[in-house]
Amino acid sequence: MHRLTEPSQYKLKEDQDITVIMDKSSGLQHRGCLSPEGTLREIQINLLECKVCFEMFNSQQRERRPQNLSCGHVLCLECITALSHPLLRKLECPFCRQLCSVDSTSHCQALIDLQELLLSSAPPRRGRGGVIPARGLTCASLHLRTVFGSWGSFINPTGIAVLGSSGTVVVVHDGEKRVMVFSLQGKKLNSFGKRGKTPGEICYPVDVAVTPTGYVVLTDAGDKTVKVFTSRGNHMLTVTSSFQMPWGVDTDSCGHILVSDVLAGTLSRVKVDYNHCVVLEHQTTISDLLGPKAVACCQMTGNTAVMEHPTEVAHPTERHQYRRLKVFSKDFHLLYQIDGFSLMLQSSVRLNMSAVVFDRDGDMIAIDSDQGLICSLAKLQSGPVLTPLVGDRLIRPVGLALLNNMLIILDGGDHTVKIYSQKPDTGLVI
């Protein structure tokens, strides 16, 4: 999996006579994989929006005008003013950390010209990824309630979970304190898991889950372990045996830990005595998986879903990754499986699944990180019914948690948490 080494912002680069979009931190070029309409939409989201305040650039409003910093990154004038020292008139670029002078900024006319060009020729609005939203719980009926995080708060976040009915949000990322705990309003409540390899420290967190009794469980690919903490950050237990590369993690209704191993091709169940901080049983329940990553357990039925990445095992350099979703019973017998190609035959929507979760009714909700899309699959045993839920203002969703009728989405594209619901709540400020 590609991980950014620093917060990134998209920039235009001229490649002979072809304009391409380039990720500064990784050098990855994105072209030829989207429809013309999708490309225009990506430009609007990734180039014509200030990545600090998430407001669209606007030459008619002075505070929203795009300004070039001396390092080359672009912010709106209001954010430059807010981030700069009032006396020294200098600011640290939120993307590359270079010290820039306010007096050396300049108006970015190229983005304004591009914006006017796109607005004058833009096709009718559709759901992101070229999807026309279905009726019911759709992009149009879900509202963005809250956004929190952004550069500096999270560094390359990879996993999210919700702690109990209170809705406390737990995020793992690559910062100095690897686990961050927030309220639904975005207020930081706690952080723990110092970077390191000693007991209680965390090297490279990949995924996180929360047990029914409130313990925080995460996979650490750095030292190939599973670690358990209290919600206050006290280290309780490290599971070290039998893992080659632990990846996805979830817990069942009994608090048993379910862990995928992307290198070993296994799904394991770990039974823990949380009161005495000991492992009671570590059992490999499935051993013939291909590149298993995301794991989700249905609290109602006990079924477990695993997302396979077969091409990453057989052809690790393959550009277009093939993914397959398998669902197992609580006794770990295969119930059904489906892949992106099969979904495409049953629906006009192209969905390249990267992770799934179960809602409280046992329906499945899938993440498409590539298109920035969240879709409901309903109940697969009755045949998937694909319904787009969210495609607005998402860049690269990497994690999803559910609380009542809210979707709590971890967006690795702009390092934020975004909360969507059917009814906007005026008590929460976006």
Side-chain angles (χ1 to χ4, degrees):
M1 182 181 71
H2 168 66
R3 288 177 59 84
L4 303 178
T5 55
E6 63 177 23
S8 63
Q9 184 186 37
Y10 286 92
K11 288 185 170 184
L12 286 179
K13 175 189 175 185
E14 294 299 324
D15 181 10
Q16 297 176 350
D17 294 328
I18 301 173
T19 300
V20 301
I21 300 176
M22 186 171 184
D23 186 322
K24 180 187 173 187
S25 63
S26 64
L28 294 178
Q29 296 182 356
H30 305 268
R31 61 177 176 181
C33 57
L34 292 174
S35 65
E37 181 182 335
T39 301
L40 291 177
R41 194 158 40 250
E42 291 298 318
I43 291 174
Q44 289 175 332
I45 293 172
N46 293 312
L47 291 175
L48 303 181
E49 180 183 87
C50 176
K51 291 306 178 186
V52 172
C53 65
F54 306 107
E55 296 289 341
M56 294 296 293
F57 293 128
N58 190 337
S59 62
Q60 304 304 314
Q61 299 180 14
R62 183 177 182 275
E63 66 276 11
R64 296 296 173 217
R65 292 176 184 171
Q67 299 292 117
N68 291 308
L69 297 179
S70 58
C71 61
H73 289 107
V74 181
L75 303 180
C76 70
L77 183 59
E78 183 176 58
C79 288
I80 289 177
T81 302
L83 294 174
S84 61
H85 192 282
L87 298 179
L88 299 178
R89 293 183 59 78
K90 293 182 182 295
L91 74 152
E92 186 181 77
C93 173
F95 309 112
C96 66
R97 306 305 182 189
Q98 180 175 323
L99 190 63
C100 303
S101 171
V102 174
D103 298 325
S104 65
T105 61
S106 60
H107 184 58
C108 187
Q109 186 61 41
L111 286 185
I112 291 300
D113 292 342
L114 177 61
Q115 188 176 47
E116 291 177 354
L117 177 64
L118 293 178
L119 288 176
S120 65
S121 60
R125 270 302 288 271
R126 293 157 66 95
R128 190 171 178 200
V131 176
I132 301 176
R135 294 181 179 179
L137 188 62
T138 66
C139 305
S141 61
L142 282 174
H143 300 271
L144 181 61
R145 293 180 56 174
T146 309
V147 177
F148 61 87
S150 190
W151 314 123
S153 298
F154 302 135
I155 300 176
N156 300 323
T158 54
I160 189 169
V162 175
L163 183 63
S165 59
S166 65
T168 304
V169 179
V170 182
V171 175
V172 292
H173 72 137
D174 201 27
E176 186 61 33
K177 294 290 185 68
R178 305 303 219 183
V179 183
M180 307 285 287
V181 183
F182 292 86
S183 69
L184 283 175
Q185 293 78 14
K187 179 181 178 181
K188 180 181 174 182
L189 303 177
N190 190 17
S191 63
F192 59 88
K194 185 178 178 181
R195 180 187 305 176
K197 294 186 177 182
T198 62
E201 296 181 334
I202 303 170
C203 302
Y204 182 79
V206 177
D207 199 9
V208 65
V210 176
T211 71
T213 51
Y215 295 102
V216 177
V217 184
L218 60 89
T219 49
D220 191 336
D223 57 9
K224 303 175 183 179
T225 62
V226 173
K227 294 173 180 175
V228 181
F229 296 84
T230 67
S231 59
R232 294 182 177 274
N234 298 320
H235 176 248
M236 296 183 59
L237 179 68
T238 296
V239 184
T240 59
S241 60
S242 304
F243 293 120
Q244 293 184 36
M245 185 59 70
W247 201 272
V249 65
D250 202 358
T251 62
D252 63 19
S253 58
C254 297
H256 303 328
I257 303 170
L258 301 170
V259 185
S260 67
D261 191 316
V262 69
L263 291 184
T266 60
L267 178 74
S268 297
R269 180 174 62 187
V270 182
K271 296 183 179 180
V272 175
D273 182 341
Y274 294 99
N275 292 326
H276 298 90
C277 302
V278 295
V279 174
L280 300 177
E281 179 183 323
H282 185 167
Q283 178 187 8
T284 299
T285 56
I286 306 170
S287 58
D288 57 352
L289 299 169
L290 294 175
K293 287 191 175 181
V295 176
C297 183
C298 180
Q299 301 301 307
M300 182 179 71
T301 63
N303 294 345
T304 300
V306 181
M307 187 67 66
E308 289 184 305
H309 295 240
T311 54
E312 293 187 16
V313 176
H315 307 284
T317 60
E318 187 79 23
R319 180 179 178 183
H320 298 288
Q321 299 295 337
Y322 169 74
R323 292 155 190 172
R324 180 170 54 212
L325 172 64
K326 289 185 175 181
V327 180
F328 300 87
S329 69
K330 61 181 180 181
D331 297 322
F332 302 103
H333 298 297
L334 181 64
L335 296 176
Y336 34 85
Q337 63 182 24
I338 196 166
D339 54 44
F341 181 73
S342 301
L343 283 172
M344 191 169 61
L345 294 178
Q346 303 176 49
S347 170
S348 60
V349 178
R350 181 179 66 85
L351 189 67
N352 195 23
M353 299 176 291
S354 52
V356 293
V357 298
F358 290 93
D359 69 11
R360 60 184 178 184
D361 297 322
D363 289 358
M364 303 196 72
I365 299 177
I367 299 173
D368 185 332
S369 295
D370 298 334
Q371 296 186 88
L373 187 64
I374 309 293
C375 286
S376 171
L377 301 178
K379 292 180 173 62
L380 289 186
Q381 62 266 36
S382 305
V385 179
L386 199 59
T387 304
L389 300 179
V390 177
D392 180 42
R393 296 181 67 92
L394 292 179
I395 300 175
R396 188 177 177 272
V398 296
L400 173 65
L402 305 179
L403 180 65
N404 299 325
N405 290 321
M406 293 186 295
L407 302 183
I408 305 174
I409 301 169
L410 181 62
D411 195 332
D414 55 13
H415 302 202
T416 60
V417 172
K418 297 172 181 176
I419 302 177
Y420 293 79
S421 69
Q422 288 182 284
K423 295 181 180 180
D425 186 341
T426 55
L428 296 178
V429 180
I430 295 176

